[in-house]
Amino acid sequence: MKVAVLGFGTVGQGVYEMLQHANGLEPGPVLVRPGKDDAPFKVTDIEAVTGDPAVDAVVEVLGGTEPARSWTEAALRAGKHVVTANKALVAAHGPELAAVAREQGVAFLFSAACGGGVPFLHNLALAAQSDRILSVGGILNGTTNYMLDAMQSRGADYAAVLKDAQTLGYAEADPSADVSGLDALRKIMLACAVAFEKLPTEGLYTEGIEDLTPADVQSFRQMDLTCRLVARGGIGPRGAVFAFVEPTLVPASAAECAVKDNYNLARYEAERAGDIVLMGQGAGRFPTASAVLRDLSDVLCGQRVMMPAGCVRVAADGEGCGHPYYVRLPAELTGQLPVDRIQKDGDTARVVTSSVTVKWMHDTAARLRAQGAKLFFAGIEG
């Protein structure tokens, strides 16, 4: 099967290199920006890909939603299988692109969009065919995991570990999608779509790690807890999907506690199979490229579907899940919280709340910040 590649950045180069040695696959043309076509295999016109009858499949690793959406749809309508690592594209347009793929009788697979080399969506899609999925989630962003691990193991501050992450290539020059939780949120949206046939696009809550301080880390140590940025999705007691991302404090017994450096941990709980946990490299040239080639191998074996045919967009239910929270905030504002335990240090208070819903905590934090308050909060699990 000849495979064209759209984009020749870090992941695109990894895909092209791995295609040289993959069983049953061979590299085709690579679409690049005008002026970058400095090799015979590089082309600058999408029609050189969609109009080439020798091309059987297309890998999209451009990033963003345009022109990725237009070119992906063009490839599907030309009868090409499409594999993508683009989480933003699938989160925004996945159901429509999957519908086009079904109309054309071709594949639209995207396991590389979530978890890098970790076969999370791959296994989740297979499990959902024969078992009822109860929940999904985990540590889905390697950049923030590296930063949190460094802050807690080395005692470094936020600015220093962010600079380290950028030097090592874990964080982009603009790391906002990672540190804000947006990257992980897009991934949990895809996991919910695969697991529950519901793509949550509204009512989503995300809290990042930008406001974490060394003093917070010291408090976590005193509580014998470890902080990780965790994504969660599931079906709440009212039957609606919940999906959110937030810093989360976990005990030493939790699998998330053992995830170091830039690794990911993805998990799902199935009614029959129980809790399934997968861990590995969550990003980078070859981990992500290996996931792309795994999808291409699935295409060779006849796999066509990852986004369920009945998948619909829904609003997430932020009241469908709840737990206690650690909150660091100005001491005069503690009356705004349902306090279970409190520790004051001058003008600052560190509170453990009673159990509240995700919606209540995130909405309360947004309201207090709008009033000028500086705070950090993290869910408490286990």
Side-chain angles (χ1 to χ4, degrees):
M1 183 169 71
K2 180 169 283 190
V3 181
V5 181
L6 309 185
F8 204 56
T10 299
V11 177
Q13 291 176 38
V15 169
Y16 190 79
E17 182 174 339
M18 290 186 71
L19 282 170
Q20 315 288 326
H21 312 287
N23 291 333
L25 303 172
E26 61 176 300
V30 175
L31 185 69
V32 297
R33 294 192 304 272
K36 299 292 185 178
D37 50 336
D38 53 2
F41 64 88
K42 296 180 180 179
V43 299
T44 59
D45 188 344
I46 186 61
E47 292 186 3
V49 173
T50 58
D52 185 346
V55 171
D56 304 294
V58 172
V59 169
E60 186 277 307
V61 285
L62 296 162
T65 55
E66 284 295 346
R69 185 206 62 81
S70 299
W71 290 352
T72 295
E73 182 173 349
L76 291 169
R77 293 197 181 281
K80 317 294 186 186
H81 305 295
V82 172
V83 167
T84 179
N86 188 339
K87 53 192 165 289
L89 172 68
V90 184
H93 303 291
E96 293 78 15
L97 292 171
V100 173
R102 286 186 177 87
E103 290 172 6
Q104 300 299 319
V106 293
F108 177 64
L109 304 181
F110 49 89
S111 74
C114 180
V118 181
F120 178 41
L121 294 186
H122 172 84
N123 285 358
L124 182 61
L126 294 175
Q129 295 177 23
S130 57
D131 206 344
R132 186 165 75 94
I133 307 302
L134 304 177
S135 65
V136 292
I139 298 168
L140 303 180
N141 182 273
T143 300
T144 52
N145 199 68
Y146 170 83
M147 294 174 65
L148 287 169
D149 185 45
M151 290 183 74
Q152 293 168 99
S153 63
R154 304 202 310 257
D157 65 19
Y158 178 89
V161 297
L162 175 57
K163 184 177 180 180
D164 287 347
Q166 290 170 323
T167 300
L168 292 167
Y170 299 154
E172 301 289 343
D174 178 4
S176 56
D178 293 319
V179 298
S180 70
L182 176 59
D183 176 81
L185 186 68
R186 287 169 172 160
K187 293 171 181 176
I188 202 65
M189 290 167 65
L190 302 190
C192 287
V194 172
F196 311 122
E197 300 187 8
K198 299 179 190 299
L199 176 64
T201 54
E202 301 175 25
L204 298 158
Y205 287 97
T206 180
E207 176 74 7
I209 66 170
E210 305 101 311
D211 297 320
L212 177 65
T213 68
D216 292 317
V217 171
Q218 182 60 35
S219 291
F220 305 158
R221 289 197 186 100
Q222 293 171 359
M223 299 165 68
D224 291 324
L225 296 173
T226 298
C227 186
R228 296 288 184 253
L229 187 69
V230 174
R232 295 285 185 232
I235 302 296
R238 300 188 293 192
V241 168
F242 62 82
F244 61 92
V245 175
E246 61 189 19
T248 303
L249 303 182
V250 297
S253 59
E256 285 83 357
C257 188
V259 182
K260 306 297 184 181
D261 296 326
N262 66 326
Y263 275 64
N264 278 195
L265 178 149
R267 68 194 312 161
Y268 63 88
E269 183 184 3
E271 186 174 50
R272 301 294 183 182
D275 198 22
I276 305 299
V277 179
L278 305 163
M279 190 171 75
Q281 289 281 350
R285 174 176 296 182
F286 291 115
T288 304
S290 70
V292 167
L293 265 73
R294 183 171 58 237
D295 276 353
L296 289 169
S297 296
D298 280 349
V299 172
L300 282 175
C301 295
Q303 179 73 16
R304 298 290 181 268
V305 175
M306 183 162 281
M307 181 76 70
C311 185
V312 295
R313 288 183 171 82
V314 299
D317 179 12
E319 296 181 333
C321 183
H323 39 249
Y325 282 89
Y326 163 95
V327 187
R328 183 254 301 149
L329 77 170
E332 71 268 18
L333 297 177
T334 55
Q336 306 283 330
L337 304 175
V339 176
D340 185 54
R341 302 197 308 273
I342 185 169
Q343 178 183 356
K344 291 186 177 181
D345 180 14
D347 294 334
T348 299
R350 303 178 192 283
V351 170
V352 173
T353 73
S354 57
S355 183
V356 296
T357 68
V358 169
K359 174 179 171 58
W360 188 92
M361 185 66 246
H362 286 249
D363 286 351
T364 298
R367 175 172 54 81
L368 294 176
R369 283 169 172 154
Q371 298 170 6
K374 294 183 179 180
L375 60 88
F376 171 84
F377 70 90
I380 301 176
E381 294 186 355

